[in-house]
Amino acid sequence: MLSNLPRLSLLLALGIVGASCSIAQTLTGCWTNELGSTAHIKKVEDGTLRGFYSSAVSSAETPVEGELIGFQVDIEQPTFGFVVKWTSELVRGSVTVWTGQMFGNDALMTMWLLRSNSSVKNNWGATRTGMDVFRRCIEQCGSTDGDGSERKCDPSKEGS
């Protein structure tokens, strides 16, 4: 009986570690907000988020894209923050930051700040603020159709 005690202790310890790992949710995947903008997030092991973002709304009147990097705290209903450095020519020099929390497995409640490049004289109007709610998409962002074109996340096919 005593010879099984170390094995039982190891199994219990592994069970506890396994249970605690399953609590954390992940932001990895495709997300869309109420305006049809999409975030494709890939989670790196250390909690670093990387991906790309496509905004359906901009002063350019066409979708604009940018690189996404951020961090996720691996807890139940994780908190996170990410920055998008806009790479589209018409909004180059601007960055947007989002911070928020994941609720359930399919809702990201966020607040954001958009900073545009400006002169000191126009500094007062160079930062905008807002809120977004992102929903997980069923369709995978960044996947391609048969013709090689990129398929964007369809807001009408949100996760439940």
Side-chain angles (χ1 to χ4, degrees):
M1 184 74 167
L2 285 177
S3 64
N4 288 334
L5 189 57
R7 187 178 305 164
L8 180 60
S9 298
L10 178 61
L11 289 173
L12 286 173
L14 289 174
I16 291 168
V17 170
S20 65
C21 288
S22 65
I23 290 173
Q25 302 288 332
T26 180
L27 276 69
T28 302
C30 180
W31 299 88
T32 186
N33 69 14
E34 61 279 4
L35 299 174
S37 298
T38 59
H40 180 218
I41 299 174
K42 299 176 180 179
K43 182 174 177 273
V44 179
E45 263 185 56
D46 65 358
T48 302
L49 305 172
R50 294 192 185 275
F52 64 89
Y53 192 93
S54 179
S55 177
V57 294
S58 76
S59 59
E61 298 181 11
T62 60
V64 294
E65 296 188 346
E67 298 174 42
L68 180 151
I69 188 165
F71 298 96
Q72 171 184 334
V73 178
D74 288 326
I75 56 175
E76 186 175 2
Q77 297 181 328
T79 56
F80 62 90
F82 61 84
V83 177
V84 172
K85 178 180 102 178
W86 299 105
T87 55
S88 297
E89 191 62 40
L90 295 171
V91 291
R92 197 172 302 237
S94 297
V95 294
T96 305
V97 297
W98 282 263
T99 186
Q101 187 170 358
M102 181 180 202
F103 292 97
N105 194 33
D106 68 344
L108 306 179
M109 307 282 292
T110 68
M111 295 190 74
W112 55 263
L113 295 170
L114 165 64
R115 177 63 189 204
S116 300
N117 193 356
S118 85
S119 65
V120 172
K121 181 179 176 183
N122 295 321
N123 185 49
W124 65 271
T127 302
R128 296 183 179 142
T129 64
M131 294 174 41
D132 280 321
V133 176
F134 290 87
R135 300 280 179 193
R136 191 180 296 276
C137 295
I138 295 170
E139 300 276 333
Q140 185 66 25
C141 285
S143 58
T144 58
D145 291 332
D147 63 0
S149 63
E150 191 171 279
R151 182 175 61 230
K152 297 294 181 192
C153 208
D154 182 351
S156 67
K157 297 181 179 178
E158 294 174 353
S160 54

